[in-house]
Amino acid sequence: MDHFPIFLAVQGRRIVVSGGGETALAKLRLLLKTTARITVFAETPEDGLSALAAERRITLVSRALGPGDALCAALFYAANDDPAEDARVARLARADGALVNWVDNLENSAFITPAIVDRDPVTIAIGTEGAAPVLARAIKADLEERLPVSLGLAARVGKAFRKAADALPMGRKRREFWAEYYFNTAPQAIEKQGEAGLEPALHDLLARHLAEAPTRGRVDMVGAGPGDPELLTLKARRLLDRADVVIHDRLVAPAILELARREAILIDAGKQGFGPAMAQDEICALMVEHAAQGAHVVRLKGGDPSVFGRLDEEIAALDAAGLDWSVVPGITASSAAAAQIGQSLTKRDRNSALRILTGHDMKGFAEQDWRGLARPGTVAAIYMGARGARFIQGRLMMHGASPDTSVTAVENAARSDARTIATTLGRLASDLEDAAPTGPVILLYGLAPRWAEAALPRQSADLKEEFA
Ligand code: SAH
């Protein structure tokens, strides 16, 4: 996207046009829909322009534009149909600080005017960055046909009613009210009684919606898995499709957030290892606030919500508020990482237990049962361990772990940018420093990638002896 669409506030601001012919008039037809103050500079203005000036809809200055004439202008149009003159006035207007559009000269324009479908205050702007004006016109014609002319009127009256409609709880209830207004109530009222019918119809509709029993909000704590949208559960997918509010962690991949309903409110409660984060209390309060208003909230967590997800604090807050909740499991990072390196997390004759631990907790680097972990044949999935790698390595070796023990770090497991760093305990910290990962990393302690195992026969032999 080389051009970013915005809606510019022009009420009472200056827009200056240079040009006295049909090109200038065509631009004016659009500009006159706005509440801007329009000044036109033209040495020999056409009758159409003089007529607009006589109606006081524009200020007409019957001479060529000079230095300072475009001062304080929000927008400037060079519409002389004469490249030399357009180049001259564009230069002057730029010097005066205006945003310049040189009609039919994309390269020298700071902005372009889209094709517009006008149902004021509903305005649809269509642009193709100059690639296909025909396409823009076709889309415009299609929309013009589809959107009832009464839409603008319904929206204007609706806008004035927004405060009253705030009596409905935010979220689904309010959305249902407005959907019924725009798609049923308003068209019917306008057909029967014209504009005068709209306000009474809104009052009736609101009374009916307020009388209906309020829907109960709820919160589903949903595992988003490691990042690949295909690794979402069907249930997670369905809930995302319905949620009014999605409160998500930073770990949740953008491709997964895309699956939320267009109208859903997305709230980033991003927590990053050591960086700034929304406080847990704040997250709990947000969930409670939305659900208490009747919203269906999905609390979306990376991986599985029950693994280092502070699930219990959130459940406690929901219980205290008397709200319904459920937990939807997801694929945790250790499963994704094991799949990535073609290994099982447990294996007969190798490890009959799997430890799940964190390298980092609220107090800093986490202390663990290092002695137990140092025992040969131990397999552990270490979450949040990359930054504490040197600490973990030191502790384990101090407690007798062999520096040859396999460790595999998997960054961005189950994502397109996944990276596997196969190393040993002795080289862990320096290899990680060299790799300088920027995504989430899980350490699989005691596991080598299946394809690297053959290259580490000594360790397997050691293990066999140990178990014998
Ligand atoms: N609930 C999550 C874990 C949250 S703790 C789960 O079940 O996976 C955050 C840590 O999870 C990260 O520091 C990292 O160690 C690990 N992690 C999460 N997603 C990951 C991914 N796609 N690849 C590698 N590690 C990941």
Side-chain angles (χ1 to χ4, degrees):
M1 208 192 281
D2 288 334
H3 290 79
F4 182 65
I6 55 167
F7 287 92
L8 189 73
V10 292
Q11 188 180 24
R13 296 193 65 189
R14 276 189 99 205
I15 296 181
V16 176
V17 177
S18 167
E22 185 46 41
T23 306
L25 263 172
K27 283 295 164 219
L28 284 172
R29 275 193 275 278
L30 275 182
L31 294 173
L32 282 168
K33 290 171 182 279
T34 71
T35 48
R37 291 183 298 121
I38 299 164
T39 306
V40 180
F41 287 83
E43 247 178 320
T44 47
E46 270 194 11
D47 289 352
L49 283 171
S50 310
L52 287 173
E55 290 168 30
R56 296 178 169 272
R57 299 185 65 197
I58 61 169
T59 306
L60 182 59
V61 185
S62 300
R63 61 165 169 81
L65 183 103
D69 281 340
L71 275 175
C72 299
L75 300 177
F76 176 84
Y77 283 90
N80 294 285
D81 263 339
D82 168 356
E85 178 62 358
D86 280 340
R88 187 188 70 85
V89 297
R91 203 171 330 109
L92 288 176
R94 270 186 219 113
D96 284 345
L99 266 184
V100 170
N101 174 274
W102 176 339
V103 177
D104 290 332
N105 186 332
L106 186 66
E107 230 168 68
N108 288 300
S109 293
F111 70 96
I112 47 185
T113 316
I116 293 171
V117 180
D118 175 17
R119 299 287 184 274
D120 185 38
V122 179
T123 315
I124 302 165
I126 306 152
T128 63
E129 304 202 312
V134 180
L135 183 61
R137 273 196 293 277
I139 296 170
K140 174 176 153 72
D142 184 40
L143 288 172
E144 292 282 8
E145 215 165 275
R146 264 198 274 171
L147 299 177
V149 184
S150 63
L151 190 71
L153 183 58
R156 249 189 324 274
V157 176
K159 187 178 177 190
F161 200 76
R162 284 183 76 92
K163 266 228 145 53
D166 285 353
L168 287 165
M170 203 172 115
R172 188 171 353 139
K173 290 288 291 178
R174 221 178 274 173
R175 260 198 327 271
E176 282 168 2
F177 168 80
W178 285 116
E180 190 170 345
Y181 168 66
Y182 281 113
F183 297 109
N184 297 321
T185 314
Q188 282 169 19
I190 291 174
E191 200 179 303
K192 272 197 219 130
Q193 293 161 283
E195 180 172 356
L198 278 176
E199 221 188 294
L202 268 168
H203 282 288
D204 287 352
L205 186 68
L206 180 62
R208 186 153 57 71
H209 277 249
L210 280 172
E212 276 169 17
T215 44
R216 263 177 82 81
R218 59 173 293 109
V219 179
D220 296 302
M221 254 94 40
V222 178
D228 177 356
E230 291 201 46
L231 291 180
L232 278 175
T233 60
L234 291 176
K235 204 166 194 170
R237 182 85 220 248
R238 184 164 52 75
L239 290 170
L240 270 177
D241 218 40
R242 293 195 185 157
D244 300 308
V245 179
V246 177
I247 305 177
H248 64 91
D249 289 344
R250 189 155 309 176
L251 264 185
V252 176
I256 287 173
L257 294 176
E258 291 271 315
L259 299 174
R261 257 167 13 105
R262 287 256 163 271
E263 305 79 26
I265 304 172
L266 291 184
I267 302 174
D268 181 357
K271 282 203 199 123
Q272 212 172 32
F274 293 67
M278 190 181 277
Q280 185 62 48
D281 288 353
E282 241 177 287
I283 299 175
C284 291
L286 260 178
M287 290 191 316
V288 168
E289 182 192 324
H290 284 287
Q293 286 179 341
H296 179 182
V297 180
V298 161
R299 173 72 177 106
L300 196 59
K301 291 165 181 285
D304 182 86
S306 74
V307 179
F308 303 124
R310 301 191 68 176
L311 182 64
D312 303 79
E313 289 152 79
E314 296 182 5
I315 290 179
L318 296 172
D319 277 341
L323 290 162
D324 293 337
W325 54 265
S326 80
V327 180
V328 179
I331 293 180
T332 190
S334 46
S335 298
Q340 195 87 45
I341 64 166
Q343 286 287 17
S344 350
L345 289 169
T346 62
K347 187 179 172 193
R348 208 151 51 127
D349 290 343
R350 185 189 62 200
N351 65 306
S352 56
L354 165 73
R355 301 191 188 208
I356 288 183
L357 43 129
T358 173
H360 185 258
D361 61 18
M362 309 266 280
K363 293 186 230 95
F365 295 144
E367 286 299 349
Q368 302 287 355
D369 165 26
W370 303 114
R371 187 180 303 278
L373 283 162
R375 227 169 276 139
T378 301
V379 173
I382 309 178
Y383 290 70
M384 296 172 274
R387 288 191 201 222
R390 195 166 291 283
F391 169 81
I392 293 167
Q393 173 185 13
R395 282 287 198 275
L396 283 167
M397 283 173 30
M398 195 168 82
H399 286 83
S402 160
D404 292 334
T405 312
S406 298
V407 183
T408 308
V410 183
E411 180 189 11
N412 291 320
R415 301 182 183 194
S416 55
D417 49 356
R419 191 155 60 128
T420 300
I421 303 145
T423 178
T424 58
L425 185 60
R427 295 199 321 262
L428 174 64
S430 59
D431 278 3
L432 269 184
E433 256 162 46
D434 291 347
T438 51
V441 173
I442 188 156
L443 305 177
L444 296 177
Y445 168 75
L447 289 184
R450 181 173 297 275
W451 47 89
E453 237 172 5
L456 294 164
R458 208 166 61 78
Q459 192 201 10
S460 340
D462 285 353
L463 286 185
K464 279 212 189 82
E465 265 164 44
E466 199 62 45
F467 277 107

